[in-house]
Amino acid sequence: MRVMRRTGFDPRLLAWPILAAFPLFGAGYESALAPIFRTDCLPCHSGPSPQAGLDLSTLESALKGGKTGPALKLGSAESSLLVAKIVSGQMPPGRKLKDAQVSAIRSWIDEQKTVLAGVTEADVTPIFQMRCVVCHGKRTQEAGLDLRTQEGRLKGGKSGPAVAPGRPEDSLILKKVIAGVMPPPKLLMEAFVRPPSSEEVETLRAWIAAGCPPTPPQPVMEERFTDAERAWWAFQPPRLPAEPQVRNTALVRNPIDRFLLANLETKGLAFSKEADRLVLMRRVYLTLTGLIPTAKEIDEFLRDERSNAYELLVDRLLDSPQYGERWARIWLDAAGYADSEGIKEEDRLRPNAWRYRDAVIRSLNADKPYDRFVTEQIAGDELADYRKLRAPAQEDIDRVASTGFLRMAPDATYSPSNGSVAERMNVIADEIEVLSSTLMGLTVGCARCHNHKYDPIPQRDYYRLGAVLQAAFDPYDWVKTTERDLDLALPEERKTVHAHNEPLNAEVKKLEQAIEDRAKPWRDKTGKKSLDELAKQVPEFKTELDRLRRLIADVKSRLLPEPRVRALYDMGGALSPVFLLKRGEAQQLGEVVEPNTPSILKGPALKPYSVEPPYEGTSGRRLALARWLTQPDHPLTARVMVNRLWKQHFGRGIVSTVANFGKTGAPPSHPELLDWLAVEFVRSDWSLKAMHRLMVTSAAYRQSSTTQPEALSADPENVLLSRMSLRRMDAEQLHDSILLAAGRLSLKQFGPPVPVETEAAGEVVERGSKDEWRRAIYLLQRRSMPVTLLEVFDLPPMSPNCTDRAHSTVPNQALELRNSPLVLEHARYLAGRLLDEFPDSPSRVEAAYIRTLSRKPARDEMDRALAMLERLTSQWEAHLRSQRTTAPYAMTAVWRALGDLAHALLISAEFSYVD
C-alpha cells in the first residue's frame, strides 16, 4: 500500500478483469515482460497522473508516450525511447535492471516487426464481426458507423474515421476498445457481445500499425469432381423405367407390383396370400390415420360387398381429418418439432410453435402439392409480402407459419450464457441438418469442419448453403429466439383474445389501484415511496400487499397470450458477408462465400440456383433454394420423399437409410422402382395422397405377414417384400388407439398444446378430462418432460430432428402398460361403457375384442375370457366386502373384473402390433 500512497497506483487493480482483458503488450508479454513492468515501471507510470505523462499500463498509451514522445517503436528496440532510458540507467530510478531483463525487453520489441508484417484484414475481420457489427453493421449503424467493410472503417461515422492506418495511437476504435467503452458493457446482457480478448486487441493494434493491409487476394477455387463422383446414382435425375414383365400377372394390381414381383421371381418367390379382410382394414387404418377402426366402422366395412370396397375405404381414410394428423406427426419428426427451446434446464416453452404443427396438418389434409408444400416450408414468407396483410386469412397465416420448419432446432440463444456467436452458429448448423436430411437425403453436416470424407461435398458448399439462410439467421446481427415471432393472426382470433382479456385486464387495474389506495395512508405517515420498502416497515400493509399481489397473479394467469406466429423471415438491411469457418470454428473466418447449392448437383439437368428478391425487404435467397429443390428433374427431392412414404407403409425404405443417399448410405433395393415412383410423384402433380393410394392398394401392401420357409430362407430380412412385415405401433399410434378403444378420444383439432404434468409416482401424463383426451400430436412436447408412455415406446429426442425412428422391444414398455394408473383408468372406462351398452358377459367380451383387437374372439378365447370374468368377479367381491366399502358389491366387482379383462387386451402384444 506504500506504493499506492506514493504514486496513486494500486497494484490490486492488476487483478481486475477489465485490465486483464487488455494486457500491456502482445504475444509473449505475460511470460517475458509482465513481471518486469509490474514491479519496476507501473508504480510510477500508471494511474491518473503518471510521471512525465507516460502511462505504461496499456500498449496504446506506451505507443503514444509522454512529454518526450512515444516510449516504444515496435520492431526496433534501438529506436525505442524506453530501451534507451533503461540502458542508460535512468529507468527505473535508483536501481538497474538485470542484463537478462533488458535482453528480454529488446527481444520482444524486435519480434513485433515479424508480427506486424503478417497481419492483414483477414486477421481482424473476426474481431469486427463478433464484437462490433451488432451495433455497427447490417440493420443498426450507431453514430453512422459501419464496421463490416474496409471502406466503412475508413469512412467512419459522426466522430470521424474509425481507424488511422499506420497510427494506432490516433485510431478511434482502438482508443474506445482499450478504454472499455466499446463494446458497451450493457451489450454483454442485451446482445451477448463479449469484449475483445487480449490477443484480439493486439491483433487489431498490429493491423492498424501495419497500415491496415487488406485481405490478400485468394485464388478462385473451382470444385473438381471425378467421373465416378458425378456418376453416383443419387446425383442423376430419375428416369422413367419400363415396367418389367412378370410371369404371374394375376398377382399384379398396379405397377408397383410388377417391379417387386420381377425381383421375387428371380429368386423363385412370389407374394404371400392376401391378408384377412379385417387384418388389412386395421393395417390401413393405422397406416393412414394412426388409429384403429371403431366397431361401427368394422361393421360397415364387413357389410360392404362391393368389389372395390377396400379402395373406397382407402379414399375415405385419405379424405378424413385424421389423415393429416397422422402424417403430420411423421413430418414433424423430420422437422424436429418441439414446444420448448431445449439445451438449458429451464427448457423455455415456445408459446406459438403449435401454429406450425397446425399448418402442416391443414396442408396435408388439403393434399397441397409437395413442391408447394416444400416451398412454403423454406420460404412461405417470401411468396407474398406478409407485412401488407391487414385481415389475413388462415391460408395466409399458414403460409408464413410453415417456415417454422427452420425454427424448430434447439435454441437457447435467448440466454447470455448461451448467446455467443459460436452458439448461434450451432443453431444455424442444426437447421442446415434439418433442411438437408429431410429434403435432400444428404449428410452435408459432415462438411462443416472440412470437406466431406465420403461424398463430394466440399466445405465451401456447406457454407454456401448456410449463406442461403443467413439473411434470416445472421449470427453477427442476431435476434433472440424469444423475439422472432410475427404479429399475425386472424381478425376473429384477435377479437376472441381481446374479449377474453379485457375484463381480466380491468380487474388487474382495479386490484393495482386497490394497492395504491391501501398504500396512501401509510405513505403519508412514513414518507416511503416504494411499495416493497413500505411493506418492510409496516407489517399490516405487507399482509394486504401480499394478498392483493396473489390475486393479481391469479388473474394474470388467466390471460390469453396475444396471437403471434413463430416463423423464419429475413431481418432486413444490407446483407452481411458470409464466411467459411476454418475447422468449423466461429472465430476462424476464412474466405467469403456466396449463397448457392451443392456443386455436385450443378449441371445441364437442373436450372442453376438464381436469386431474385420477390419484394422489397427480403432477399429471395430461400425462395430461390425452394425453387431449385422443386424442379421436376431434381435428383433428390422426389426420390427422398417417396422413399420416406415407402418406409412408413412397408417398414423399410427402398433406400433403408432414409436420410442418407450418399456413399455411406445403403444402396436402393429396387432402384428402378424408386425412379418410377419419383417420376410418377411428379407426374401426379406432386400429390402425396396419390402416392399413398398407389402404395396401399398394391398387392404387395395387401399381403399377409405369414412367413413361408422358402421365403424366409431366400429373403430373411424381407428386403424383397415376399410378405408384409409385422410391426409394432409407434408411440402415438399406441397412445391414440388406447384412447379410441376406451371411447375417450376427442377428435378436436388444432390449437395450443395440451399441458402435461408429473404424477406422484413420477409418470408424466397429459392433463386430460372426462370429455377431452386428445391425440398425442396435440400434447405439449417439452424436450425435458416427454410423456412417459410415448417416451418408453421410442418417442425420439429432437436433436435436432429424427428422420427414422427406432423401434425397440424392452421390458420398460411392458411395465409401463401394466403399471400405468392412467392406462388402467382407460381400461376401466372401457369396461364402464361395455356395462352400459351390453346386457351380458358374452356380448361384453365380444365387444371388448372388437374395440381393442378389431376382431371377434375365437371360441376358445371366449371360453377363457368368461371363466376369467367369473373368477375375477368373485375375487373382487370378496375384496370389497373385506374393505367394508359402501359401494354395491356385486356391480362394482363385475365392473372391476371387466376392467381387468379390458386392461389385458389393451396391453397385449396383439393390440400393439400391426399385422
Side-chain angles (χ1 to χ4, degrees):
M1 300 307 293
R2 286 195 301 270
V3 172
M4 183 175 68
R5 286 193 295 268
R6 179 164 52 89
T7 66
F9 170 73
D10 185 350
R12 292 174 297 179
L13 293 179
L14 291 173
W16 283 22
I18 189 65
L19 292 182
F22 303 104
L24 302 185
F25 300 108
Y29 162 75
E30 284 295 334
S31 61
L33 303 186
I36 303 172
F37 280 85
R38 284 173 180 161
T39 58
D40 295 297
C41 302
L42 292 185
C44 295
H45 296 288
S46 64
S49 302
Q51 290 188 12
L54 176 59
D55 181 1
L56 293 177
S57 63
T58 70
L59 177 61
E60 181 66 17
S61 59
L63 289 169
K64 182 179 180 181
K67 296 178 180 178
T68 55
L72 299 176
K73 183 175 181 181
L74 297 180
S76 176
E78 292 301 322
S79 303
S80 295
L81 181 61
L82 177 66
V83 175
K85 293 286 186 180
I86 291 173
V87 171
S88 68
Q90 297 178 55
M91 292 180 60
R95 61 187 181 280
K96 188 174 182 180
L97 295 181
K98 297 177 181 178
D99 291 344
Q101 292 176 309
V102 176
S103 178
I105 294 172
R106 284 178 174 275
S107 297
W108 184 86
I109 295 174
D110 285 337
E111 286 170 1
Q112 301 315 298
K113 184 174 184 179
T114 304
V115 173
L116 287 173
V119 178
T120 69
E121 184 185 9
D123 298 293
V124 297
T125 296
I127 304 171
F128 287 118
Q129 290 296 116
M130 298 185 71
R131 316 299 183 197
C132 307
V133 299
V134 65
C135 291
H136 304 287
K138 184 173 72 173
R139 288 183 305 137
T140 303
Q141 295 178 1
E142 296 286 350
L145 177 61
D146 185 351
L147 291 175
R148 292 178 299 163
T149 65
Q150 184 81 318
E151 180 184 10
R153 298 162 199 148
L154 292 172
K155 178 182 177 182
K158 294 179 180 178
S159 301
V163 296
R167 306 193 314 276
E169 68 278 6
D170 295 331
S171 293
L172 185 61
I173 189 168
L174 199 57
K175 292 179 180 180
K176 297 277 189 180
V177 167
I178 291 173
V181 297
M182 289 293 167
K186 67 175 182 177
L187 288 188
L188 179 63
M189 294 303 296
E190 292 180 3
F192 315 149
V193 174
R194 275 57 167 173
S197 67
S198 58
E199 291 80 8
E200 289 173 333
V201 173
E202 297 312 316
T203 300
L204 186 61
R205 186 273 314 153
W207 175 68
I208 297 173
C212 301
T215 300
Q218 299 292 322
V220 177
M221 301 293 292
E222 293 294 333
E223 309 303 342
R224 296 178 180 272
F225 303 110
T226 66
D227 291 341
E229 288 172 331
R230 292 188 181 279
W232 184 250
W233 69 268
F235 303 148
Q236 308 307 309
R239 294 289 177 251
L240 185 67
E243 296 178 22
Q245 298 297 312
V246 295
R247 293 190 297 273
N248 198 345
T249 58
L251 296 178
V252 175
R253 288 185 177 273
N254 66 37
I256 286 175
D257 300 320
R258 288 187 175 277
F259 288 98
L260 295 175
L261 195 55
N263 274 8
L264 285 169
E265 288 181 346
T266 63
K267 300 282 187 178
L269 302 174
F271 291 140
S272 295
K273 67 177 183 179
E274 187 164 304
D276 178 81
R277 199 174 191 207
L278 281 182
V279 168
L280 183 57
M281 181 191 191
R282 193 172 196 263
R283 178 191 298 167
V284 76
Y285 260 78
L286 284 163
T287 297
L288 293 181
T289 70
L291 299 170
I292 58 175
T294 65
K296 180 182 177 183
E297 290 166 335
I298 290 172
D299 183 64
E300 290 174 350
F301 182 58
L302 290 178
R303 291 174 182 273
D304 191 342
E305 297 180 354
R306 290 173 291 182
S307 60
N308 62 341
Y310 175 73
E311 287 79 5
L312 293 173
L313 173 65
V314 168
D315 289 340
R316 288 197 299 272
L317 296 179
L318 289 172
D319 287 339
S320 73
Q322 287 69 52
Y323 158 78
E325 292 170 331
R326 169 60 188 161
W327 285 88
R329 177 64 269 169
I330 295 164
W331 181 263
L332 295 180
D333 274 10
Y337 178 85
D339 288 308
S340 65
E341 298 292 357
I343 300 178
K344 295 285 287 182
E345 292 79 4
E346 176 190 16
D347 196 22
R348 180 177 292 193
L349 291 178
R350 296 169 168 172
N352 300 299
W354 59 270
R355 295 184 190 275
Y356 171 70
R357 172 246 288 158
D358 287 359
V360 172
I361 294 173
R362 277 190 283 265
S363 292
L364 295 180
N365 273 334
D367 198 21
K368 185 172 290 181
Y370 184 64
D371 58 342
R372 174 74 180 195
F373 179 82
V374 167
T375 300
E376 292 185 359
Q377 298 284 300
I378 298 173
D381 62 304
E382 293 193 317
L383 289 171
D385 192 345
Y386 60 88
R387 299 169 302 178
K388 295 181 179 179
L389 296 172
R390 293 294 175 263
Q394 187 66 64
E395 63 182 20
D396 297 318
I397 296 173
D398 284 352
R399 186 178 63 248
V400 177
S402 292
T403 62
F405 173 66
L406 294 172
R407 290 288 316 280
M408 289 297 147
D411 187 350
T413 57
Y414 57 83
S415 163
S417 60
N418 289 279
S420 68
V421 171
E423 272 107 5
R424 299 167 187 175
M425 294 288 190
N426 288 338
V427 173
I428 298 172
D430 281 346
E431 299 299 0
I432 293 173
E433 173 68 16
V434 170
L435 175 71
S436 59
S437 63
T438 301
L439 299 178
M440 293 189 283
L442 293 178
T443 56
V444 302
C446 297
R448 183 182 181 186
C449 302
H450 48 71
N451 291 346
H452 201 296
K453 289 186 177 181
Y454 303 103
D455 294 332
I457 304 175
Q459 187 186 19
R460 186 179 293 107
D461 280 357
Y462 176 88
Y463 289 99
R464 285 169 172 162
L465 194 58
V468 174
L469 303 181
Q470 193 153 323
F473 279 128
D474 189 336
Y476 310 113
D477 185 29
W478 197 250
V479 178
K480 300 175 189 177
T481 182
T482 50
E483 299 172 3
R484 280 179 176 263
D485 291 350
L486 291 175
D487 184 14
L488 197 62
L490 294 171
E492 54 266 33
E493 186 178 9
R494 292 190 190 278
K495 290 179 181 178
T496 299
V497 171
H498 178 73
H500 177 87
N501 287 350
E502 188 175 27
L504 294 176
N505 285 325
E507 189 174 349
V508 168
K509 289 182 179 179
K510 183 178 178 181
L511 290 169
E512 289 174 342
Q513 185 58 49
I515 290 176
E516 293 299 320
D517 293 342
R518 302 289 196 284
K520 188 176 186 305
W522 295 107
R523 280 176 171 159
D524 293 341
K525 289 181 180 180
T526 64
K528 294 288 185 182
K529 301 295 183 183
S530 163
L531 289 174
D532 291 318
E533 287 297 318
L534 187 61
K536 289 179 182 178
Q537 187 171 340
V538 184
E540 300 96 318
F541 175 70
K542 182 181 186 305
T543 302
E544 187 67 2
L545 177 65
D546 291 345
R547 183 184 72 83
L548 290 170
R549 281 180 169 174
R550 284 194 298 270
L551 290 175
I552 290 173
D554 177 68
V555 174
K556 286 184 174 181
S557 70
R558 289 180 272 136
L559 288 169
L560 293 177
E562 290 297 323
R564 298 182 71 82
V565 174
R566 182 184 179 90
L568 185 68
Y569 47 94
D570 281 11
M571 305 313 298
L575 298 177
S576 297
V578 180
F579 303 91
L580 180 149
L581 303 184
K582 300 174 184 177
R583 299 185 298 279
E585 296 176 6
Q587 298 86 353
Q588 300 294 321
L589 303 191
E591 64 185 272
V592 174
V593 297
E594 295 298 324
N596 217 314
T597 53
S599 304
I600 192 65
L601 295 175
K602 294 176 183 175
L606 288 179
K607 294 179 182 177
Y609 174 83
S610 178
V611 177
E612 184 177 342
Y615 59 83
E616 186 178 353
T618 196
S619 67
R621 289 182 176 185
R622 285 176 288 112
L623 184 58
L625 173 65
R627 287 174 173 162
W628 177 82
L629 276 169
T630 55
Q631 296 178 70
D633 287 336
H634 197 285
L636 294 168
T637 308
R639 275 190 182 126
V640 168
M641 191 55 185
V642 296
N643 186 64
R644 194 181 302 280
L645 300 181
W646 187 272
K647 195 267 180 188
Q648 294 299 325
H649 288 307
F650 293 96
R652 177 192 181 102
I654 297 174
V655 178
S656 61
T657 51
V658 294
N660 185 359
F661 279 37
K663 290 193 174 181
T664 59
S669 59
H670 299 77
E672 295 83 6
L673 174 57
L674 181 62
D675 270 19
W676 186 89
L677 288 169
V679 173
E680 181 65 19
F681 187 27
V682 176
R683 290 197 307 186
S684 302
D685 295 325
W686 298 87
S687 168
L688 289 168
K689 288 187 177 182
M691 300 311 296
H692 286 301
R693 193 178 196 282
L694 190 65
M695 291 179 189
V696 301
T697 58
S698 67
Y701 181 84
R702 300 188 195 197
Q703 294 180 92
S704 165
S705 64
T706 304
T707 304
Q708 301 298 326
E710 61 273 16
L712 188 60
S713 175
D715 187 22
E717 299 298 323
N718 201 24
V719 174
L720 300 180
L721 281 176
S722 58
R723 58 196 178 276
M724 195 60 179
S725 296
L726 181 68
R727 291 178 287 154
R728 199 202 70 225
M729 290 182 184
D730 65 28
E732 290 85 355
Q733 286 174 322
L734 182 62
H735 172 278
D736 298 349
S737 293
I738 288 174
L739 290 175
L740 181 67
R744 306 188 89 176
L745 181 66
S746 166
L747 295 182
K748 176 183 175 182
Q749 291 192 296
F750 311 128
V754 177
V756 300
E757 59 190 2
T758 304
E759 298 287 321
E763 184 181 18
V764 179
V765 298
E766 66 264 39
R767 290 186 200 163
S769 66
K770 180 180 178 181
D771 301 318
E772 188 171 283
W773 291 83
R774 300 188 66 189
R775 296 193 70 170
I777 195 171
Y778 296 116
L779 304 185
L780 182 73
Q781 296 186 44
R782 193 168 196 166
R783 298 177 199 269
S784 60
M785 200 176 178
V787 171
T788 303
L789 177 65
L790 302 180
E791 183 181 28
V792 298
F793 280 92
D794 302 315
L795 180 75
M798 295 302 172
S799 54
N801 65 335
C802 175
T803 54
D804 191 2
R805 284 198 187 189
H807 284 274
S808 64
T809 303
V810 294
N812 285 359
Q813 294 163 349
L815 291 171
E816 169 64 17
L817 290 175
R818 176 67 183 82
N819 298 319
S820 168
L822 188 56
V823 174
L824 180 58
E825 179 189 326
H826 295 324
R828 286 178 171 168
Y829 188 89
L830 170 57
R833 289 176 60 89
L834 295 174
L835 284 172
D836 291 341
E837 296 175 29
F838 299 95
D840 53 49
S841 291
S843 59
R844 292 166 187 163
V845 170
E846 182 177 286
Y849 266 79
I850 291 174
R851 294 184 185 191
T852 57
L853 306 184
S854 306
R855 65 173 178 84
K856 293 182 179 181
R859 182 68 259 172
D860 63 325
E861 290 175 320
M862 174 65 80
D863 293 342
R864 289 198 302 271
L866 291 174
M868 173 186 173
L869 284 177
E870 185 176 356
R871 184 179 67 256
L872 288 173
T873 300
S874 297
Q875 291 174 355
W876 274 113
E877 188 169 357
H879 173 74
L880 292 169
R881 288 184 184 279
S882 70
Q883 299 297 311
R884 300 182 181 275
T885 177
T886 58
Y889 298 143
M891 184 55 68
T892 302
V894 170
W895 168 61
R896 292 208 174 176
L898 191 55
D900 288 344
L901 174 64
H903 192 213
L905 292 172
L906 287 175
I907 70 176
S908 67
E910 185 176 350
F911 180 81
S912 61
Y913 273 79
V914 186
D915 192 353

